[in-house]
Amino acid sequence: MQIGVESSRAVENKRIFVVDNDEIIRSALQFMLHDENETHELNSLDHAFQKAVDWKPDLLLLGTNVVQEKGTAVLAEIANRLPDTKVMIVADAANDPLALACLKSGAHDILAKPLTIESVRYKVDVLLGRRKLPMLSLDLLQPIQRL
């Protein structure tokens, strides 16, 4: 178990599917989340739907590259086939136009790069209902420099 991992979360059995064409992003997210969640890497949405027949996910982390290939209508398909699953879009930036369009089409949140363990775990915890308060910007936690 990693430092900073709450053991109560490791036994809650929240299931997360990480669906992205980029193997490095999938692996990084799986590494960041696997100690506190049952995390599965999948290289396509079709594989996610197949796996979800037996193992329904609580959260689907979906890369913008998958949405780019299939269009934002894929979010309606996800909502239809996985009705109780939250969807978080993994994007290059929080203001990425495609990611913002995904929010309008049914995604629940955006996970913006660069990915850090703290920000990924925090945003996942919020969507899974483990945290209630909004995350403060790390810049706000830095000491104020006096002139």
Side-chain angles (χ1 to χ4, degrees), residues 69-87:
E69 286 178 5
K70 297 186 175 273
T72 56
V74 76
L75 292 159
E77 180 182 4
I78 293 168
N80 188 38
R81 294 178 75 173
L82 304 171
D84 297 325
T85 300
K86 303 274 187 180
V87 178

Side-chain angles (χ1 to χ4, degrees), residues 2-143:
Q2 293 180 354
I3 296 172
V5 173
E6 293 185 30
S7 59
S8 63
R9 291 187 186 153
V11 296
E12 276 183 330
N13 243 1
K14 296 290 185 179
R15 185 172 295 128
I16 299 173
F17 286 2
V18 179
V19 181
D20 200 302
N21 296 345
D22 186 330
E23 183 179 356
I24 294 170
I25 296 298
R26 282 195 325 264
S27 295
L29 287 167
Q30 194 277 340
F31 176 78
M32 291 177 189
L33 295 168
H34 80 280
D35 278 344
E36 294 181 351
N37 304 280
E38 179 185 326
T39 309
H40 302 265
E41 296 179 55
L42 301 150
N43 63 1
S44 76
L45 200 50
D46 291 333
H47 287 125
F49 288 142
Q50 288 171 359
K51 190 173 199 101
V53 169
D54 296 320
W55 298 6
K56 300 273 187 242
D58 298 295
L59 175 62
L60 180 75
L61 298 178
L62 184 64
T64 53
N65 52 25
V66 176
V67 178
Q68 201 165 24
E69 286 178 5
K70 297 186 175 273
T72 56
V74 76
L75 292 159
E77 180 182 4
I78 293 168
N80 188 38
R81 294 178 75 173
L82 304 171
D84 297 325
T85 300
K86 303 274 187 180
V87 178
M88 187 181 307
I89 301 299
V90 181
D92 289 333
N95 61 353
D96 178 286
L98 181 57
L100 294 173
C102 288
L103 283 179
K104 291 178 182 175
S105 298
H108 296 90
D109 203 352
I110 297 171
L111 182 60
K113 298 173 189 171
L115 303 173
T116 65
I117 290 176
E118 295 84 10
S119 66
V120 169
R121 286 184 180 172
Y122 187 90
K123 290 201 102 173
V124 164
D125 284 348
V126 168
L127 274 186
L128 293 176
R130 294 176 177 155
R131 294 189 190 242
K132 302 293 181 200
L133 299 174
M135 185 175 180
L136 293 175
S137 167
L138 295 178
D139 295 337
L140 296 176
L141 299 176
Q142 301 300 320

